[in-house]
Amino acid sequence: MAEYEFSKEEDKKIRDDFPLLNNRDIVYMDNAATTQKPVEVIDSWKRYYENYNANPFRGVYGLSVDATEVYEDARKAVAGFIGADSYCEIVFTRNASESINLLSTSLCEYILQPGDEIIVSIAEHHSNFLPWQQAAKRYGAKVVFFECEEDGEFKKEKLEELITGRTRILAITHLSNVLGRINDVKTFAEICHKNHVLISVDGAQSVPHIPVNVKELDVDFLQFSGHKMLAPMGIGVLYGKEELLNAMPPYMYGGEMIETVTRDGATYAELPHKFEAGTVNVGGAAALAEAIRYYEKIGFEKIMARERALTKAAIEKMGEIEGIEIIGSKDPTQHEGIITFLVDGVHPHDVAAIMDAEGVCVRAGHHCAQPLLQYLYDIREKKNTGGISTTRVSMAFYNTPEEVDRMAEALAKIRPEMGLT
Amino acid sequence: MAERTFYNEVLTDHNLHPDNKYHLKDPNLVKEGVNPSCGDDIVLQLKYKDGVIEDASFVGEGCAISQASADIMINLILGKTKEEAEHLSDIFLRMIQGEASDEEIEELEEGSALQDISHMPARVKCAVLGWRTLNEMLKDA
């Protein structure tokens, strides 16, 4: 991909779209945790509540029909964004965590038998590990770990070795929130399907940063959160192939997910409503659709070029600072905006606190991925202060080269400030 | 811009060159304290006899705040009675909440280097780890 640099005017225009970035004098580089929101998205939420709000689906009156239309239009926007065949394959949830809980509970009830195996990658966020671990326990199944190389690569040969006649599901992230490296889920999907294994992909970090097309990747399930892609907190998505979602039992029971209810039982609504019990988050869905329009307006080609240029610059500058070790690949092109690192002799929480004092927001700790950090800690020769904890900077396209400089300057102060040289 | 960093020289010095970080020979009270948010993990060791802390040390790992705070605490409580140590602990814990007077804070000597942590709620648990562990030990002593 050609190197694309935003012009100064484009930079300014994008920055102007994000009120928080103008209201606070900070360098926000915790985008893998949540992104800031453009004014269009904030306004779309407001517009819904000022003009269209009613309980969708239930009312016969026009306003409720309007609310339903806003919600279903948002669903279609999501389906188009990820290349789903039908809007029926898009289930709205609160976030990726809820999507995975829904999926693991319902899918495992449908297919899992005692002695079956679920393969989970070692790099999973706790959200894409614990639900499968617990489901496996409920059905007497086994969790098998798919381990990566020290540079963060997941090799298909390893996956092929792990699959047995009892493997039912592979749960893997498209892009680890620690390693920042794209996993070849298209190849993994081919291997899985050849072996009659279903593949579920956590897209929480990939969908906001690279084009993701579920048909092209041929994954069976995909989950992501709105709040990590410019939309508000409280709206998320589960994509699933229609025939699978149709066969799976409901997850939550209640209003709007039924067809008829009697004293003895019920029949359930068609997809996707079967999985959307209770009153839904229409304002959040409308804002997610607006976030998608914002992504489409700028375009992934520019977004990726920008984030990759920032990442490359950051890794180069970090390499000039004494005592910094980057986790995962040493190759900047293998980090999609996510750089996790150690500062020799300084605990990551102290690193993040000193950077905060310089106005730079970064994440420290185990990034909700303790099995991965423990694994990386065990295979690394050099042990660092702070045990398995690390510090992470994560970029979005609205970050600027000047902010990368400010981040690197803050980082350079840490060891001297802590009395180390 | 956030306020300047609270990593002053007293704190970084106690973190890098602790006076009391070693295994005590024959301690009669030993207790582990853990702060899961930073992964701080210390083991406090005391020689406690007739109501007096005759000797004390700690071992463990964690962020600079947890380590320096535990080291400073031990300097303060060496040779003190249970009541005196609990009195200092009470002042320290109130200082961290921004509720201790200047006169009280003076009693904490180098412990006062940690008073700005009251502006950093995310780090309070690190600063109080040693003191909290000490309180639990003395409660049962």
Side-chain angles (χ1 to χ4, degrees), chain A residues 162-401:
Chain A
L162 289 177
I163 293 178
T164 71
R166 297 309 303 266
T167 309
R168 294 287 169 264
I169 303 161
L170 166 66
I172 188 164
T173 179
H174 197 182
L175 182 57
S176 149
N177 69 321
V178 175
L179 299 163
R181 185 174 180 138
I182 298 173
N183 292 326
D184 186 5
V185 292
K186 186 180 159 84
T187 301
F188 299 162
E190 274 171 30
I191 295 169
C192 283
H193 293 149
K194 214 181 292 167
N195 291 283
H196 310 289
V197 173
L198 296 171
I199 178 169
S200 168
V201 171
D202 174 359
Q205 298 297 342
S206 62
V207 174
H209 300 282
I210 62 174
V212 175
N213 184 300
V214 291
K215 283 286 135 201
E216 215 172 276
L217 298 173
D218 195 24
V219 297
D220 298 302
F221 302 98
L222 177 83
Q223 314 85 32
F224 55 97
S225 291
H227 75 91
K228 290 187 200 292
M229 51 176 291
L230 315 179
M233 297 178 179
I235 187 79
V237 172
L238 169 66
Y239 158 82
K241 284 183 181 165
E242 195 171 345
E243 71 269 23
L244 289 166
L245 290 180
N246 257 328
M248 285 158 47
Y251 170 60
M252 291 208 288
Y253 295 82
E256 210 45 63
M257 53 75 69
I258 49 89
E259 202 172 62
T260 55
V261 179
T262 64
R263 289 190 182 212
D264 302 319
T267 55
Y268 302 111
E270 300 271 292
L271 284 180
H273 309 291
K274 182 172 87 175
F275 290 109
E276 293 182 357
T279 297
V280 293
N281 182 359
V282 183
L288 176 58
E290 195 62 39
I292 287 171
R293 279 189 282 279
Y294 192 93
Y295 271 101
E296 286 168 346
K297 187 177 78 180
I298 299 183
F300 269 116
E301 198 180 340
K302 283 189 184 182
I303 287 172
M304 287 170 71
R306 179 51 181 266
E307 290 176 356
R308 286 176 176 181
L310 294 172
T311 306
K312 186 165 173 275
I315 289 181
E316 278 169 11
K317 285 186 192 301
M318 290 164 83
E320 292 164 12
I321 302 166
E322 203 198 324
I324 306 251
E325 186 197 343
I326 289 167
I327 299 294
S329 179
K330 306 300 169 208
D331 177 358
T333 66
Q334 298 295 347
H335 291 265
E336 294 297 330
I338 291 174
I339 311 166
T340 300
F341 62 95
L342 297 166
V343 179
D344 187 25
V346 186
H347 190 287
H349 279 247
D350 296 321
V351 171
I354 294 170
M355 291 182 83
D356 178 53
E358 299 290 331
V360 182
C361 308
V362 301
R363 174 59 70 88
H366 46 60
H367 317 295
C368 301
Q370 286 187 31
L372 173 65
L373 288 161
Q374 187 66 54
Y375 171 70
L376 294 171
Y377 182 80
D378 292 342
I379 62 174
R380 252 192 340 261
E381 271 176 30
K382 192 166 172 294
K383 305 302 182 202
N384 191 72
T385 308
I388 69 166
S389 290
T390 57
T391 314
R392 177 186 73 194
V393 301
S394 53
M395 313 281 184
F397 57 89
Y398 49 67
N399 287 123
T400 64

Side-chain angles (χ1 to χ4, degrees), chain B residues 92-111:
Chain B
F92 187 89
L93 296 178
R94 282 191 291 110
M95 176 185 81
I96 295 298
Q97 288 160 15
E99 289 168 6
S101 69
D102 290 349
E103 292 76 33
E104 287 178 316
I105 291 172
E106 239 172 70
E107 286 185 56
L108 295 177
E109 299 169 25
E110 284 191 325

Side-chain angles (χ1 to χ4, degrees), chain B residues 28-125:
Chain B
N28 60 345
L29 290 178
V30 174
K31 191 155 186 78
E32 186 180 19
V34 178
N35 166 23
S37 73
C38 277
D40 304 325
D41 187 347
I42 62 163
V43 177
L44 200 53
Q45 310 180 347
L46 298 187
K47 253 185 212 166
Y48 180 76
K49 204 177 149 201
D50 303 329
V52 175
I53 300 164
E54 293 185 338
D55 206 354
S57 77
F58 80 105
V59 290
E61 274 226 35
C63 67
I65 309 216
S66 69
Q67 303 300 297
S69 181
D71 197 53
I72 293 169
M73 175 190 80
I74 291 177
N75 281 346
L76 286 169
I77 61 166
L78 277 174
K80 298 282 198 305
T81 64
K82 175 180 172 174
E83 289 70 28
E84 287 168 334
E86 283 174 339
H87 170 69
L88 291 171
S89 172
D90 174 59
I91 296 175
F92 187 89
L93 296 178
R94 282 191 291 110
M95 176 185 81
I96 295 298
Q97 288 160 15
E99 289 168 6
S101 69
D102 290 349
E103 292 76 33
E104 287 178 316
I105 291 172
E106 239 172 70
E107 286 185 56
L108 295 177
E109 299 169 25
E110 284 191 325
S112 66
L114 286 144
Q115 62 180 303
D116 287 342
I117 304 275
S118 59
H119 305 303
M120 292 289 299
R123 309 305 298 282
V124 162
K125 280 183 183 161

